[in-house]
Amino acid sequence: DVKVTQSSRYLVKRTGEKVFLECVQDMDHENMFWYRQDPGLGLRLIYFSYDVKMKEKGDIPEGYSVSREKKERFSLILESASTNQTSMYLCASSLPRVAGGLSNEQFFGPGTRLTVL
Amino acid sequence: DAKTTQPNSMESNEEEPVHLPCNHSTISGTDYIHWYRQLPSQGPEYVIHGLTSNVNNRMASLAIAEDRKSSTLILHRATLRDAAVYYCILRMYSGGGADGLTFGKGTHLIIQP
């Protein structure tokens, strides 16, 4: 069974702490993504990576950074956590997008519910 | 980006077919119609996608209107495990690279036993 795993299901941190969220996929996918999901705001893309050591900003990168040192692992870093970063964080992976409509469906992890106090 | 419109919620009975509608009147010729669903306390999962022709897979069927301005996700025999939020999204395939997903509010499907 293909899998995307995230390091924690629930996490509680204090304002100002540095927070690491880890994501690992076992499908040898080139692409990896970090999203946050908030009620009423849907799913929003924070950062993505299409190759090792490559990263691209998504729609809401402010306050976050990422690291991709190995193909299977994509880390999301909150340099100084704030209360407005309390959210559900979802990691996903996929094959590269190709022309012709072959599905590059994204496979999601179970999510990490982060609370910043 | 072309937008989709879905009902906020729908209710169905177990073991009956479910038709989930999606309107996308501003769809462009290169947009593919994708469906994902999100079960309670889980990450989203891919369901199906198509361009013009109707599509079937082990999870569902996708019926696409001839003018492509609407589509319907069909669950042939709903079970309690199909209770989830269903998202209809448009994705353009132009080759290469990566692109993120943007989900709206989706349709909250409730299955009654």
Side-chain angles (χ1 to χ4, degrees), chain B residues 5-54:
Chain B
T5 306
Q6 300 176 253
N8 288 335
S9 67
M10 289 183 65
E11 201 167 310
S12 183
N13 295 320
E14 201 176 7
E15 298 191 5
E16 289 185 359
V18 179
H19 291 236
L20 295 164
C22 181
N23 287 321
H24 28 79
S25 57
T26 59
I27 191 171
S28 75
T30 52
D31 284 333
Y32 283 73
I33 303 154
H34 282 244
W35 285 81
Y36 280 74
R37 72 179 185 180
Q38 189 168 17
L39 279 65
S41 302
Q42 294 189 28
E45 64 173 343
Y46 166 84
V47 178
I48 200 166
H49 83 291
L51 181 64
T52 55
S53 305
N54 295 345

Side-chain angles (χ1 to χ4, degrees), chain A residues 16-101:
Chain A
E17 279 192 77
K18 190 168 185 175
V19 182
F20 292 87
L21 301 182
E22 306 285 343
C23 175
V24 177
Q25 51 97 1
D26 66 359
M27 295 165 280
D28 201 35
H29 283 166
E30 283 78 4
N31 298 337
M32 294 189 76
F33 307 82
W34 274 106
Y35 297 90
R36 63 180 282 179
Q37 187 173 34
D38 301 286
L41 295 175
L43 200 69
R44 293 181 291 169
L45 180 65
I46 305 171
Y47 265 98
F48 65 96
S49 167
Y50 55 88
D51 202 351
V52 175
K53 297 193 186 292
M54 305 303 288
K55 60 185 179 185
E56 294 284 344
K57 291 179 181 179
D59 300 320
I60 50 163
E62 296 78 19
Y64 303 95
S65 62
V66 290
S67 172
R68 188 146 182 224
E69 296 296 318
K70 293 185 178 181
K71 191 175 185 180
E72 67 271 18
R73 188 180 296 270
F74 193 35
S75 303
L76 180 69
I77 303 152
L78 286 66
E79 295 290 342
S80 177
S82 63
T83 54
N84 62 14
Q85 291 178 310
T86 292
S87 185
M88 169 68 82
Y89 289 88
L90 290 158
C91 174
S93 72
S94 78
L95 291 169
R97 187 178 61 201
V98 294

